[in-house]
Amino acid sequence: MSEATTGSTVPRRQLGRYLRELRINARLTVQAAAKALEWSEAKMWRIETGQTSLRSHDVETMCRVYGATEELKTALMGLAKETKGKGWWHAYGDVIPEGFDLFIGLEEAASSREEYSPELVPGLFQTPDYLYALFKKNRPDLQAEEVERRVRLRMQRQALVTRVTAPPDLKVVLSEAVVRRVIGGPAVMAAQLDRLAQLNDCPNVAIRLVPFSAGSHRGLDTGAFIILRFPTKEDGRDHEPPTVFVQGFTGALYLDKPREIDRYAGAFTVIWDNALPQEDSSAFFRQVAREMNGR
């Protein structure tokens, strides 16, 4: 996986995990390590969760405090240099919400994605008009130029869906509420639904719909979530652990503990099985689009 593709996100997360393991093996709490390094606990958290890049000098200092071997210190200092790499999305740094650059980097690196979206069309599938309508309604404080840059960022993110080199496998389940909720007016919504049906014809995309008639299902408990999985190494081990992304109103959660992944993966399987088959879902999208167009 090249740096040009992944940006600095994956190296940052890898380095953070190594440093966290070193700290734990040294029997140091975050508080004790922060005191020894003369850093804040918030900085320690950002480092260990891959939220920030690191200078080689900082890594050297941490390795000294943690008692790392010379060989491991040299390797981690080399990895620190890779965290300085930047992906294409850094050009939009002024309009990317705080912390969301981490998600974009993981999104670019993922080989597959499983997503449950109960309220809105997922960002990777939104039409420009649908997105403009969302900003107009939900973010009237934004200037027109900033809205335009945010829309361009979203459209550029969507390029990964149909990219020529290793496009990710996308499995997405929508609630019928997503289809019935009119965003931007009937014409805009009809075009959005036609777009979903078109995307469902892509070989790497599978979109299913959970109809209201399905009644209660697991998605009512989980809320919206995304599971990102990454390419494996030649020996079959994960290059990067799977990650569950849960977006909240005031921030996001990145979950990567095996138990957490298993629970969300199990929930997604149940939600997927409660949804209409892919072909029936596309027919549903087209039917509602015709109704909105008055045909």
Side-chain angles (χ1 to χ4, degrees):
M1 194 184 308
S2 68
E3 185 66 21
T5 299
T6 66
S8 61
T9 301
V10 171
R12 280 190 340 230
R13 292 226 313 175
Q14 291 172 334
L15 181 60
R17 283 197 306 276
Y18 282 125
L19 291 171
R20 180 176 180 274
E21 289 173 5
L22 279 174
R23 175 181 60 75
I24 291 173
N25 290 339
R27 299 183 183 278
L28 289 172
T29 63
V30 170
Q31 184 179 25
K35 184 176 181 180
L37 292 162
E38 297 184 350
W39 293 343
S40 68
E41 291 181 40
K43 179 175 179 177
M44 292 292 301
W45 178 81
R46 289 195 300 270
I47 290 171
E48 292 189 357
T49 56
Q51 300 279 345
T52 185
S53 59
L54 276 176
R55 297 178 301 169
S56 296
H57 173 72
D58 291 333
V59 172
E60 184 179 25
T61 302
M62 295 178 79
C63 286
R64 175 172 48 78
V65 170
Y66 297 162
T69 64
E70 190 68 25
E71 182 180 9
L72 182 55
K73 181 188 74 173
T74 300
L76 294 185
M77 288 174 66
L79 185 56
K81 294 177 181 177
E82 293 188 41
T83 68
K84 299 293 185 180
K86 292 185 177 181
W88 62 263
W89 55 92
H90 286 264
Y92 294 90
D94 58 323
V95 295
I96 295 177
E98 183 178 357
F100 195 63
D101 60 330
L102 173 61
F103 175 78
I104 297 176
L106 293 173
E107 178 181 71
E108 285 280 319
S111 58
S112 69
R113 172 186 185 130
E114 297 169 335
E115 179 171 1
Y116 173 58
S117 185
E119 300 295 339
L120 294 171
V121 172
L124 289 183
F125 298 158
Q126 292 170 356
T127 64
D129 286 341
Y130 183 95
L131 186 53
Y132 279 122
L134 286 176
F135 280 127
K136 182 177 180 180
K137 184 72 173 180
N138 299 337
R139 293 299 307 273
D141 57 304
L142 295 179
Q143 297 296 316
E145 183 179 350
E146 184 173 358
V147 170
E148 188 65 35
R149 282 180 58 74
R150 288 178 181 239
V151 172
R152 286 205 301 269
L153 168 63
R154 184 68 54 83
M155 295 305 107
Q156 195 156 349
R157 279 178 56 206
Q158 292 181 3
L160 70 85
V161 177
T162 56
R163 70 188 180 197
V164 175
T165 305
D169 290 322
L170 307 176
K171 293 177 68 175
V172 177
V173 181
L174 308 178
S175 164
E176 185 174 341
V178 176
V179 174
R180 298 295 183 183
R181 179 174 292 110
V182 179
I183 304 294
V188 169
M189 196 64 208
Q192 176 64 79
L193 294 174
D194 284 336
R195 174 65 175 158
L196 289 175
Q198 292 165 7
L199 286 166
N200 232 353
D201 290 333
C202 294
N204 61 311
V205 176
I207 307 171
R208 287 189 175 188
L209 179 89
V210 178
F212 291 144
S213 60
S216 179
H217 62 89
R218 196 62 186 278
L220 301 181
D221 297 326
T222 65
F225 65 90
I226 298 171
I227 306 174
L228 299 172
R229 300 182 188 275
F230 303 90
T232 56
K233 299 179 181 179
E234 292 183 1
D235 60 5
R237 291 183 299 160
D238 289 329
H239 184 283
E240 177 75 6
T243 298
V244 174
F245 174 77
V246 181
Q247 179 70 62
F249 184 59
T250 58
L253 292 176
Y254 294 89
L255 310 173
D256 59 8
K257 293 183 175 62
R259 183 179 64 85
E260 295 168 335
I261 301 300
D262 288 345
R263 289 199 66 181
Y264 273 96
F268 184 82
T269 297
V270 173
I271 297 169
W272 182 261
D273 290 344
N274 273 271
L276 297 175
Q278 186 174 345
E279 193 171 306
D280 293 346
S281 297
S282 289
F284 197 108
F285 300 148
R286 291 191 171 100
Q287 175 59 37
V288 177
R290 285 194 294 271
E291 292 172 5
M292 291 188 178
N293 278 323
R295 299 199 303 268

